[in-house]
Amino acid sequence: TTTTTTTTSAAVLATDVLESRSELSIFSQLVAKVGIGNSLNAMINITIFAPDDTAMGLTDLSKLFKNTTAGTAFIKNHIVRGFYRINDPELMKRQETLGFFDVVVRGSPGSYDVNNANVVSPNITGSFSVVHVIDAALMNLPPPTSTTTTSTTSTTTTTTT
């Protein structure tokens, strides 16, 4: 009698990678709060530049957590299509994030940055994603919605003769 044992390993999803890192707890909570986690997990081959908790503390978290649109835009500004390890030559070229924001990685082994944010923990891989922990957010929040006020003035001129 021959017994065959087959083992399958579950995919390590993007959200699993984010949640496994204590220094990414705020970014991970934001992903869950705005409801973008399932979308991230469905993407094949993405690179996430995730700001650590210190960097997240320097942003307007109340706006990000209260406004789903702002929170989603913030997250998308930190994700590019493609599975890029930090020293991948393709990553050294200008890449466009899902939020249509350009990022460029520069540096050499041991000292990389993306748009001047230092990469503090590179190459944390999941099945279809790679996460690089950075020490600053890549883009400020979207500008506040402005309202335009239009005023009309009229001038009356009276001429007496």
Side-chain angles (χ1 to χ4, degrees), residues 2-125:
T2 304
T3 303
T4 304
T5 304
T6 304
T7 57
T8 57
S9 58
V12 179
L13 304 173
T15 54
D16 296 334
V17 174
L18 295 172
E19 291 168 0
S20 73
R21 304 293 295 210
S22 62
E23 74 268 35
L24 298 177
S25 65
I26 297 172
F27 190 80
S28 180
Q29 289 168 22
L30 181 61
V31 167
K33 176 71 176 168
V34 301
I36 198 173
N38 288 338
S39 296
L40 291 181
N41 290 337
M43 292 180 189
I44 304 296
N45 295 334
I46 59 172
T47 299
I48 303 171
F49 298 101
D52 63 19
D53 287 351
T54 302
M56 290 296 292
L58 300 175
T59 62
D60 184 353
L61 293 176
S62 63
K63 181 170 185 172
L64 295 176
F65 277 90
K66 289 180 182 176
N67 182 324
T68 302
T69 302
T72 300
F74 180 85
I75 293 165
K76 286 182 174 184
N77 285 332
H78 291 82
I79 302 170
V80 297
R81 294 189 190 281
F83 188 99
Y84 299 118
R85 295 191 185 278
I86 200 65
N87 61 345
D88 189 315
E90 283 300 308
L91 194 55
M92 300 296 176
K93 298 175 184 173
R94 185 173 307 277
Q95 297 290 328
E96 184 178 76
T97 69
L98 299 182
F100 307 107
F101 178 70
D102 287 341
V103 295
V104 178
V105 172
R106 293 184 177 94
S108 57
S111 179
Y112 289 98
D113 71 76
V114 55
N115 291 21
N116 297 320
N118 294 311
V119 177
V120 294
S121 294
N123 303 327
I124 306 161
T125 58

